[in-house]
Amino acid sequence: MAKNKQKNKDVQEQESSIVDKDLNKSKDIDATEAKSVEGEDLKEDAEKNEHKEDQKEESDKEAEVLSENDELAKMSMQLADMKDKYLRLSAEFDNYRKRTLKEKMELTKSAGSSILLNVLPVVDNFERALKSIDDAKEIDAVKQGIELIYTTFIDFLKQQGVHCIDAINQDFNTDEHEALTKIPSPKPELKGKVVDVVEKGYKLHDKVIRFSKVVVGE
């Protein structure tokens, strides 16, 4: 009887042990499955995050491309505007150059006609003098006529900015004088100075247009 009780007890313990093992195994399976599910969830979350990051990266790239396109379009507009301004300025400069050249040619023509117009009175005086020479009974009248012509012509030259270069008794100056020869100075104080003028020199304003041909004392 005692043996049967002990046997039943052993059986019960074995059954209890088996149940415990089954329970533990079931718990391990549940834990494994839970871990597996959790791992899948984490993987799914990671994939979602990666997908979001990819979408964000693509969106950023698209925004960057759009920005570059906008900048390129803006630069193209600026370039077209600059090209248009350049063409306008070039056309204006070309018109200005042509207009200036035309005005310069007209000015040259008008200046020439103005000079000739002012010379005509001198020609008139010469003609009057030539006519009066045959009828002149006194040489003084002829001389006065010639002096009048000379004075008129000198006044005309002065009006045009032409004036005679002072040379006689002046220090010899290579910028204004051309020495034809040298002679012994008649006075000690005239050494190195102009003692005679063979041909007068002239300036147009401050520019020498003809050098004075002179004789220098030494």
Side-chain angles (χ1 to χ4, degrees):
M1 186 107 175
K3 289 182 180 179
N4 288 333
K5 289 181 178 180
Q6 182 65 37
K7 187 176 181 181
N8 289 333
K9 185 178 180 181
D10 293 336
V11 171
Q12 289 177 353
E13 289 178 355
Q14 289 178 358
E15 289 177 354
S16 177
S17 176
I18 291 170
V19 171
D20 291 336
K21 288 181 179 179
D22 290 338
L23 288 172
N24 291 331
K25 187 176 181 182
S26 178
K27 288 180 179 179
D28 292 338
I29 291 171
D30 291 340
T32 302
E33 289 178 353
K35 288 181 179 180
S36 177
V37 171
E38 184 179 358
E40 289 178 357
D41 290 341
L42 291 172
K43 183 178 180 182
E44 185 177 354
D45 291 340
E47 290 177 351
K48 287 181 179 179
N49 291 333
E50 185 177 356
H51 182 64
K52 288 181 180 179
E53 290 178 358
D54 291 341
Q55 287 181 336
K56 186 173 184 285
E57 186 176 353
E58 290 179 0
S59 178
D60 292 341
K61 286 182 179 179
E62 290 177 358
E64 186 177 353
V65 170
L66 289 174
S67 178
E68 289 178 354
N69 290 337
D70 291 342
E71 188 68 22
L72 183 60
K74 184 178 179 182
M75 291 177 66
S76 297
M77 290 178 63
Q78 290 177 347
L79 180 62
D81 185 56
M82 292 176 66
K83 184 177 180 180
D84 181 66
K85 288 181 179 179
Y86 169 76
L87 291 175
R88 288 176 182 273
L89 287 173
S90 179
E92 289 178 1
F93 177 76
D94 188 57
N95 291 334
Y96 168 77
R97 183 181 61 81
K98 291 179 180 178
R99 185 172 63 253
T100 303
L101 182 62
K102 183 178 179 181
E103 290 176 353
K104 185 177 180 181
M105 292 176 65
E106 291 177 353
L107 182 62
T108 302
K109 290 180 181 180
S110 62
S113 63
S114 176
I115 292 173
L116 293 175
L117 182 63
N118 289 323
V119 170
L120 293 179
V122 178
V123 177
D124 293 338
N125 288 333
F126 267 119
E127 290 177 347
R128 294 189 188 99
L130 290 173
K131 288 180 180 180
S132 65
I133 286 176
D134 295 334
D135 299 332
K137 296 180 180 179
E138 295 182 3
I139 192 66
D140 290 340
V142 176
K143 290 172 64 178
Q144 289 177 359
I146 293 174
E147 288 176 355
L148 176 63
I149 294 171
Y150 176 77
T151 302
T152 303
F153 193 69
I154 290 299
D155 290 341
F156 162 73
L157 291 177
K158 288 180 179 179
Q159 291 174 3
Q160 305 304 316
V162 178
H163 59 275
C164 181
I165 296 174
D166 292 332
I168 195 71
N169 296 334
Q170 300 293 320
D171 291 332
F172 177 71
N173 183 359
T174 56
D175 292 334
E176 296 179 346
H177 307 143
E178 178 184 347
L180 296 181
T181 186
K182 291 182 179 182
I183 62 172
S185 177
K187 296 179 181 179
E189 60 269 20
L190 292 179
K191 287 184 178 181
K193 294 182 182 292
V194 175
V195 295
D196 190 18
V197 176
V198 178
E199 185 177 84
K200 288 184 177 181
Y202 290 90
K203 283 184 177 181
L204 177 60
H205 301 297
D206 292 328
K207 181 181 179 181
V208 176
I209 57 177
R210 190 174 80 177
F211 290 91
S212 298
K213 294 181 180 180
V214 299
V215 177
V216 181
E218 61 178 358

